[in-house]
Each structure stands twice: as C-alpha cells, then as structure tokens.
Amino acid sequence: MKNETFLKACRREPSAHTPVWLMRQAGRYMKEYMAIREKYSFLEMCRAPELACEVTLQPIKAFEMDAAIIFADILLPLPGMGIDLEFAKNEGPVIKNPVRAKKDVAAVRVINPQEDVPFLLDAIKMVKKDLNGKVPLIGFSGSPFTLASYIIEGEGSKNYVHAKSLMYSDPEDWGKLLDKISDVIIAYLNAQIDAGVDCVQLFDSWVGCLGPDDYKRFALPHTKKVIAGVKKTVPLINFSANTGTYLNLVKEAGGDVVGVDWRVRLDEAWKTIGYDKGIQGNLDPVVLFGPVKEIKKRVKEIIGLSGGRPGHIFNLGHGIIVGTPVDSVRAVVDAVHEYSRK
Ligand code: 1CP
C-alpha cells in the first residue's frame, strides 16, 4: 500500500499525517457523478461493476483522500432477503412488502452474497485492481438496527413508529428479526473482505432514536454479535449517529475504531470510548456550506482535540450533503493534511 496512513490510524500507529476520507464521498455533489447518474438509475449503477468502480474512484481522483469506499448501499442485501426494494425518483428507498407481522419475520431469508450481490464483489475486485495500492478500500454495511428500521418502516422515517412498536409489543419477534439481519450483515461483510476490501465500516445511522436503555436491550447485543462474527483480518469501524450520550455503551459493541458525529466534542468522546480504540470524525457536514476560513478553523480545532494521539481518522460526523460545494470538500481534505503533517 502506497498510502498507509488510514490503515495505520486504524491500528493506532503513528503516521505522516491524520488520514481523511468523507462518508458519502461519491455522490450527487460531484458533477462527474451526475454525468453518469443522468443515464442510469442509482440501483443500475450499483449493479454494474464498471460504473460502481468508476464512481468509487471519482473522489480519489478529484481530492487527496486517504481511503476509498466502495460505491454501494446499505440496502443492497434486501432483495436477497425477499424484500422488494426500489428507489423512488429523487427520493429515498421504498419497500413494497415491509416486515410487520410474525409471518413476515419468518419469511425473511439470510442472503448468499455470491448469488445475491455478485456485482458488489466484482466491483470490489475491479476497484482494488484499478487502485493498485494507491489507498485502501473500505467496504460497508448498515448495522442491525438501521437496516431493521428500513425493513420494518418500508422507507426513511422520522419517529420509527412501526419499528419501535414491534420492539415494544413483541420483543421476541424483534429479536428473531434482528438475529436474521445480523446473519445477513456478517455474510455481507465477510464476502466483501474475501473480495479484497482493506477495512469495513458499520453504519448505524438511525440508532440514535433509541434511549440508552433501549439501545442496550434492543440494538447493542445484535451489533456485538455482528462485530464478533466478522473476520478479524481487516479493521472494523463502528459508526453511529446521535449516540453521543451513550458512547460508553456503543464501545461495548466492539470494533477497532468508533465513528462519532459532531454532537460530541472529539476529546470527550475519545476519553469515553477509551484510548485502546481509534476514533473517526467529526466535523458537522453543514460547516461545508460556510466560508473556507471557517471550515479551516473547525478542521484545526478537531485536529487539536485529538491531542496528536495516533488513531484519529478525520471524517465528517455524517455523510456529505447534496449541494455541498466541491471546493469545500477540497478545503477540508487539504486542511487536515496541512494541520496534521508531522
Ligand atoms: O444518486 C442517487 O440518487 C442515489 C443517492 C445515493 C448514493 C450516492 C444513495 C441512495 N446511496 C448512495 C451511496 C451510498 N450509500 C454510499 C456510497 C459510498 C460513499 O461514497 O460513501 C454509502 C456509504 C451509503 C450508505 C447509506 N445508504 C446509509 C448510511 C450512511 C448515511 O448517510 O447515514 C444510508 C442510511 C443509506 C440509505 C440510503 N441510500 C440512498 C438514500 C437516499 C438513502 C437514505 C434515505 C433516507 O433518508 O432514509
């Protein structure tokens, strides 16, 4: 690997500078992405390895990112589970047969990645070849709670009424469903590792809708099972949003690095997580809509809060937002390198 900064940080080893990559770094804020997206739907792009490969590499070519992330989605395993997935035009995912009743839980299948997502494994192999060791490649999956929230709600949600109703009214079925989802995630991530990714990240984007006691009872055991079941040959990043008040529980799930959002101070978060783990984060993505001077100031502050300790991976606190100026992305990446260079 020519640029080892990211993998070194995953192992909490010192490196030449703080590594940086940005969640959702490939996407609609880039004109190169939109040029392809005009011709194909999002799922068509995911299912064509050449297109997924090209889009994965776009932010690597445009910026000095220290890692690539495979162009895919946390919802790609759903069709193989027997769940009907579509992306409505310019909107989020829509599922026609959400899991609501006992019989739905029983019907959910555990995927076979070679049969159900072969295009993803092919895209990973293609990207690894094209990268030729330039930077590492990250694979990813949703976490059990976040995937369950889509599978039960049938779309993005504000209050998670259906998901929480199942949790509170039928904890046994909730457990059965999350157990199956966890087996899917383990298979999905291990197949990505076998295909060649250098690291994997779990996205628990919506688990922060749970209070600490519900997190501990209904989400943590499943995330813990997933992390225990994923091959230990590559590092694992456990990212969650809106969990700043119970990072003491989040760290119990395991993983080499914990990803945090901007609602916590990085120094306090790291202290809670423990210095025996790395930390990833945590610039507010909306700062990128502000002036470059302010962006640079915020980057410098976060680097300062890491205290020069090895094991910090710079990222946003959540994904890049559509409409983010490309120059702001460049400003973040270059500022991280400038302020952290040894
Ligand atoms: O072009 C388009 O219209 C599609 C937009 C898009 C893109 C670019 C979607 C639909 N997914 C993706 C790619 C994607 N998704 C990546 C690519 C790699 C990268 O560059 O980072 C990743 C890591 C994801 C992960 C993902 N998908 C998450 C977790 C991260 C997060 O932002 O919280 C979630 C929640 C999804 C679901 C999803 N996929 C797409 C949309 C619009 C959504 C969210 C819908 C909602 O609001 O509920």
Side-chain angles (χ1 to χ4, degrees):
M1 193 71 61
K2 290 174 194 107
N3 179 346
E4 283 247 280
T5 55
F6 172 83
L7 290 173
K8 281 188 169 163
C10 288
R11 299 190 296 255
R12 287 176 295 110
E13 292 168 8
S15 65
H17 58 254
T18 300
V20 54
W21 71 279
L22 305 180
M23 292 186 275
R24 310 296 278 269
Q25 65 191 19
R28 286 174 290 179
Y29 75 100
M30 289 183 84
K31 61 178 188 321
E32 298 92 323
Y33 176 87
M34 288 314 294
I36 297 178
R37 181 71 173 79
E38 268 163 29
K39 292 184 236 156
Y40 304 94
S41 74
F42 171 63
L43 282 178
E44 280 170 343
M45 286 170 67
C46 291
R47 287 173 179 154
E50 325 66 62
L51 295 180
C53 174
E54 183 175 348
V55 173
T56 299
L57 297 174
Q58 285 175 344
I60 305 305
K61 289 174 182 153
F63 316 103
E64 298 284 320
M65 299 288 182
D66 294 302
I69 179 163
I70 189 69
F71 185 78
D73 199 85
I74 63 167
L75 302 175
L76 293 184
L78 268 51
M81 297 168 76
I83 297 163
D84 209 342
L85 171 71
E86 253 180 54
F87 280 87
K89 230 181 169 57
N90 295 320
E91 281 166 58
V94 187
I95 291 159
K96 286 195 218 109
N97 56 341
V99 172
R100 299 273 167 86
K102 242 185 210 336
K103 65 168 178 22
D104 304 332
V105 174
V108 170
R109 294 195 299 264
V110 174
I111 63 163
N112 173 345
Q114 274 68 33
E115 280 168 22
D116 293 315
V117 289
F119 47 85
L120 168 63
L121 309 178
D122 289 342
I124 289 169
K125 289 174 199 155
M126 214 174 264
V127 171
K128 280 296 291 177
K129 192 157 167 268
D130 279 11
L131 277 174
N132 193 22
K134 186 175 186 222
V135 290
L137 178 63
I138 303 167
F140 69 93
S141 168
S143 282
F145 180 88
T146 291
L147 274 186
S149 78
Y150 283 104
I151 289 170
I152 299 166
E153 298 289 335
E155 59 192 354
S157 175
K158 192 160 178 258
N159 295 313
Y160 306 93
V161 170
H162 296 292
K164 288 189 180 183
S165 295
L166 179 66
M167 222 168 78
Y168 299 137
S169 62
D170 197 342
E172 202 186 314
D173 256 10
W174 171 267
K176 277 187 196 158
L177 176 62
L178 269 85
D179 220 35
K180 281 194 191 181
I181 294 174
S182 301
D183 288 338
V184 168
I185 297 169
I186 292 169
Y188 189 60
L189 288 177
N190 281 339
Q192 293 182 53
I193 293 170
D194 288 342
V197 298
D198 302 290
C199 173
V200 289
Q201 170 158 324
L202 282 171
F203 284 87
D204 218 346
S205 308
W206 314 131
V207 79
C209 72
L210 298 180
D213 292 341
D214 282 340
Y215 175 83
K216 193 171 177 178
R217 180 168 168 208
F218 294 107
L220 174 59
H222 304 287
T223 306
K224 205 181 221 171
K225 172 182 150 168
V226 165
I227 294 177
V230 173
K231 298 186 180 197
K232 300 287 169 291
T233 46
V234 303
L236 183 143
I237 304 171
N238 182 22
F239 165 75
S240 56
N242 259 310
T243 54
T245 56
Y246 50 84
L247 287 173
N248 59 313
L249 297 174
V250 172
K251 75 165 183 192
E252 282 182 27
D256 303 283
V257 178
V258 175
V260 297
D261 71 19
W262 64 95
R263 298 170 184 91
V264 283
R265 279 173 59 106
L266 191 97
D267 56 346
E268 286 169 12
W270 208 347
K271 195 170 161 207
T272 305
I273 291 160
Y275 302 123
D276 56 337
K277 287 190 188 300
I279 192 165
Q280 176 173 275
N282 69 341
L283 183 65
D284 181 344
V286 181
V287 168
L288 276 69
F289 289 82
V292 166
K293 201 171 153 212
E294 184 65 22
I295 295 172
K296 292 181 79 169
K297 179 172 157 259
R298 301 279 184 128
V299 167
K300 197 174 198 172
E301 279 167 6
I302 290 171
I303 293 194
L305 292 176
S306 76
R309 201 175 275 114
H312 176 218
I313 298 164
F314 198 102
N315 207 315
L316 304 178
H318 207 156
I320 298 183
I321 295 165
V322 177
T324 297
V326 167
D327 287 340
S328 298
V329 172
R330 186 167 295 109
V332 169
V333 173
D334 293 348
V336 172
H337 290 156
E338 181 189 336
Y339 296 139
S340 67
R341 194 161 281 127
K342 307 264 154 47

